[in-house]
Amino acid sequence: MASKAQTLAQAERLFAFCRNSGAQPVQTAVLQPAETLLDLYGEDIRARAYVTSDPLRGEQMLRPDFTVPVVQMHMDDGGDPARYTYMGEVFRRQERDPNRPNEYIQVGYELFGGDDPAAADAEVFALFSEMLSPFGLRAATGDIGLLLAAVQGLATTDKRKAALTRHIWRPRRFRALLERFGGRSPVPESRKRLLADLDRHGVQAVLDAAGPEIGLRSRDDVAARLAALQADAAEPPISVAQVELLEDILSLRETSLNALAHLRDIAVDMPAIAPALDRMQARLDALAAQGIDVDLLDFEASYGRTTMEYYDGFVFGFYAEGRPDLPPVASGGRYDALTRILGRGRAVPAVGGVVRPELVLTLTEETAQ
């Protein structure tokens, strides 16, 4: 295993590569305000981050990644376009796998602004592809924007679409909701009884019979939830055809050009995804212009669904196929919506990625053997 000094030396080399590619070096605080991250990710982030408390600054988190603070910095006073690079430690709690590090170094490259998102996506991907070219890694790509568009194209209520959208990054929960909204999963007996009581007696009577209020939710909160359950139960299920189209998209794994052709066929019956496919075509053209062989570039429609939840467009990762035990050596994607949230309504196009120096060092040592 490489020492920390060796990893830092490798990080410096990667950092220099990014600087030489035109990026401005920046740094962010190791301690980040917990409020910002909780607003973005909800309480789930506590399971993945180290939380501490400061008597003056309130709850703080050890930096789980760089993207959020770099976006905040740029939205406060950055120019357009702008390219940044950074190097430093990030911290992630590991509750299941003791072999995964809870502290490691990242080197990143972020591109903000510009008037050609496809070209920006291609620039960032090509930078990491060139950086990692000595190792023969497999590149995987996806598009969260395609999945978001597919959900928005479903013929169902806005509330159902909002619930599915919220859980795009939680595949098991998303699957359970899709099964429920599609009428495939049986309604639990307890919910059947509750809905029957609501139909017979109404929300207020059911609440009155429930006993004293316990917990943080107010009576109004619970009443709103009961009314929402009742309204949803009255809605027809999402059609079998639309559920199958969405499942077809989610399961798609092909080379990029073949994937695009298949998705064009799906778009005949799901036209809401057509703009996302036009963006995908533009991105593939831009990647080809950067020298990327798009004929061999893998596309996985569900790729990126278990990463940080701010990605909302193109996503990518680089993997050592001979080392399936290793996480992605580098990964990244587009996160326009995050700039809108942290920019208080002002948004700019943004895409970036990170590389793990200790993994690059591992591959360097293996290549030399």
Side-chain angles (χ1 to χ4, degrees):
M1 179 181 291
S3 68
K4 190 166 186 177
Q6 290 172 312
T7 301
L8 284 169
Q10 179 64 63
E12 288 286 0
R13 289 189 285 271
L14 298 171
F15 192 42
F17 183 96
C18 293
R19 292 199 309 272
N20 293 337
S21 298
Q24 172 189 345
V26 294
Q27 264 299 348
T28 70
V30 172
L31 278 176
Q32 293 290 317
E35 181 180 9
T36 301
L37 295 163
L38 288 168
D39 285 346
L40 285 170
Y41 306 123
E43 292 294 322
D44 287 355
I45 190 66
R46 292 185 186 276
R48 293 178 279 166
Y50 290 97
V51 184
T52 186
S53 181
D54 183 279
L56 296 178
R57 295 175 178 83
E59 276 196 314
Q60 304 280 298
M61 287 186 181
L62 286 176
R63 181 175 59 206
D65 84 338
F66 276 88
T67 302
V68 170
V70 170
V71 170
Q72 286 182 304
M73 177 202 71
H74 177 80
M75 298 310 290
D76 286 343
D77 54 20
D80 181 14
R83 292 167 176 81
Y84 303 114
T85 184
Y86 47 81
M87 179 186 81
E89 289 173 305
V90 296
F91 306 85
R92 305 273 180 89
R93 286 179 59 181
Q94 305 294 344
E95 296 188 342
R96 293 185 178 87
D97 186 353
N99 295 316
R100 294 184 65 178
N102 58 355
E103 171 186 351
Y104 52 89
I105 295 171
Q106 284 184 345
V107 175
Y109 181 94
E110 312 287 343
L111 195 165
F112 291 84
D115 55 6
D116 190 343
D121 289 348
E123 175 186 324
V124 172
F125 180 90
L127 178 137
F128 285 97
S129 180
E130 180 184 354
M131 178 192 293
L132 301 170
S133 59
F135 309 113
L137 304 181
R138 181 182 80 87
T141 66
D143 191 339
I144 299 296
L146 167 67
L147 303 184
L148 294 171
V151 168
Q152 290 306 307
L154 296 173
T156 190
T157 65
D158 288 342
K159 287 188 176 180
R160 284 181 173 180
K161 287 189 279 192
L164 288 167
T165 296
R166 190 164 57 251
H167 292 289
I168 283 276
W169 297 271
R170 301 175 182 88
R172 280 188 290 184
R173 178 60 177 155
F174 182 93
R175 165 61 59 185
L177 285 173
L178 187 60
E179 293 285 317
R180 185 178 121 203
F181 295 155
R184 291 177 165 185
S185 59
V187 179
E189 288 300 321
S190 59
R191 180 166 293 183
K192 284 183 181 179
R193 291 193 297 271
L194 174 60
L195 290 170
D197 286 344
L198 289 169
D199 289 340
R200 281 196 300 268
H201 307 297
V203 170
Q204 295 305 320
V206 169
L207 282 173
D208 290 340
E213 294 180 29
I214 299 173
L216 297 177
R217 292 184 184 273
S218 69
R219 182 184 175 96
D220 288 345
D221 290 337
V222 177
R225 175 60 179 155
L226 291 175
L229 286 173
Q230 197 173 20
D232 186 73
E235 291 293 334
I238 300 172
S239 72
V240 172
Q242 286 206 322
V243 170
E244 289 178 348
L245 285 173
L246 185 53
E247 289 178 331
D248 193 358
I249 294 172
L250 291 168
S251 64
L252 180 60
R253 295 169 63 100
E254 254 292 358
T255 55
S256 291
L257 294 178
N258 287 339
L260 180 59
H262 184 67
L263 289 166
R264 292 286 190 197
D265 290 339
I266 293 175
V268 173
D269 297 309
M270 188 177 272
I273 68 172
L277 301 185
D278 292 340
R279 291 191 293 271
M280 182 177 174
Q281 179 68 71
R283 183 168 61 245
L284 290 173
D285 292 343
L287 286 165
Q290 287 277 359
I292 303 299
D293 188 349
V294 295
D295 289 328
L296 300 178
L297 183 62
D298 288 340
F299 181 86
E300 303 170 16
S302 283
Y303 186 78
R305 294 181 65 202
T306 56
T307 60
M308 284 293 192
E309 297 166 21
Y310 44 66
Y311 292 130
D312 59 359
F314 176 55
V315 285
F316 64 86
F318 289 86
Y319 295 83
E321 289 192 285
R323 290 292 306 273
D325 56 310
L326 295 180
V329 180
S331 60
R334 176 162 291 279
Y335 49 88
D336 295 355
L338 181 62
T339 70
R340 185 178 303 108
I341 295 169
L342 297 179
R344 302 175 188 87
R346 182 176 69 89
V348 297
V351 59
V354 295
V355 60
R356 300 258 306 254
E358 86 279 10
L359 300 181
V360 173
L361 192 58
T362 296
L363 296 175
T364 301
E365 293 171 348
E366 291 181 356
T367 302
Q369 291 176 356

